[in-house]
Amino acid sequence: MKLLPKFVTSLSPKLRMLCFGACGCLVGGIFLFLYLLRAHTYLSNDSSACINCHIMSPYYVTWMHSSHARNTTCNDCHVPHDNVVHTYAFKGMDGMKHVGLFLTNQERMSPKIEQAGQNVVMDNCIRCHTELITEMVAPVNTDMQRAVADGKKCWDCHRNIPHGGTNSIASTQTSDPLMPMPKSAVPEWIQKITK
């Protein structure tokens, strides 16, 4: 009992058990809430974590059918790779912003990447394609060098990589049978009870 704070030991045994039970329910409820939100999937590098939010499904499908799907994940393009702390800090801040927008009903049905995300994607394009840029394109293509100096991004010219452009994304907005949806996080026995 010496490990417990003084105010807890001063409570009656019944009240102490009630407090422990309430704390246990609160902690259990938080873990259940995080599990149902699939919060654990965001710590992974699995691209299917992105479709936990239904508005990302068209972007997932167009990526899945692109050449980038063979060798990259969503994180390879959309998360910084300079160090582990920056990677998870960026993922956390970006994810919490999306959660906040979603919970306050401000999420757009067709999200656009913000400037910070554009900078990360541009850095990752260069990181992955450095050899192509430095050895093959840059020495002969002064138009590209001028465009980058003027603030153009890779996707200003390469519009259909890796998401297939806006027409491909719009075409997947309908009930596309190829559009994956995440499995329900609710256990089957609870689903049976609530039916």
Side-chain angles (χ1 to χ4, degrees), residues 97-113:
K97 182 182 66 192
H98 285 284
V99 168
L101 290 171
F102 181 76
L103 290 176
T104 57
N105 205 22
Q106 296 177 31
E107 187 79 31
R108 296 187 301 222
M109 285 310 291
S110 138
K112 289 191 169 223
I113 190 168

Side-chain angles (χ1 to χ4, degrees), residues 51-67:
I51 57 171
N52 287 344
C53 187
H54 72 280
I55 63 171
M56 295 307 293
S57 293
Y59 298 93
Y60 179 84
V61 169
T62 54
W63 162 81
M64 189 173 62
H65 294 295
S66 75
S67 60

Side-chain angles (χ1 to χ4, degrees), residues 10-164:
S10 67
L11 297 174
S12 70
K14 284 184 182 181
L15 199 53
R16 196 177 312 144
M17 288 304 260
L18 185 64
C19 286
F20 285 135
C23 288
C25 287
L26 180 66
V27 170
I30 289 171
F31 278 109
L32 177 64
F33 180 69
L34 291 173
Y35 174 74
L36 293 175
L37 286 177
R38 295 180 181 85
H40 58 284
T41 64
Y42 296 109
L43 298 174
S44 74
N45 204 28
D46 185 3
S47 293
S48 64
C50 296
I51 57 171
N52 287 344
C53 187
H54 72 280
I55 63 171
M56 295 307 293
S57 293
Y59 298 93
Y60 179 84
V61 169
T62 54
W63 162 81
M64 189 173 62
H65 294 295
S66 75
S67 60
H68 276 77
R70 287 190 300 264
N71 300 312
T72 64
T73 65
C74 298
N75 287 333
D76 288 328
C77 296
H78 292 278
V79 175
H81 294 280
D82 50 353
N83 65 59
V84 174
V85 173
H86 190 211
T87 297
Y88 281 99
F90 186 88
K91 273 179 91 165
M93 294 297 288
D94 204 43
M96 291 312 294
K97 182 182 66 192
H98 285 284
V99 168
L101 290 171
F102 181 76
L103 290 176
T104 57
N105 205 22
Q106 296 177 31
E107 187 79 31
R108 296 187 301 222
M109 285 310 291
S110 138
K112 289 191 169 223
I113 190 168
E114 293 181 354
Q115 189 61 47
Q118 288 182 19
N119 294 340
V120 167
V121 172
M122 185 68 175
D123 289 346
N124 286 327
C125 288
I126 293 167
R127 179 179 59 85
C128 285
H129 298 289
T130 299
E131 186 177 334
L132 174 70
I133 294 166
T134 56
E135 293 181 12
M136 299 173 76
V137 179
V140 294
N141 193 340
T142 55
D143 288 341
M144 186 190 85
Q145 292 170 333
R146 230 176 291 129
V148 171
D150 290 340
K152 295 277 188 191
K153 306 286 188 194
C154 294
W155 53 90
D156 289 333
C157 295
H158 302 277
R159 286 180 190 88
N160 294 332
I161 298 173
H163 293 292

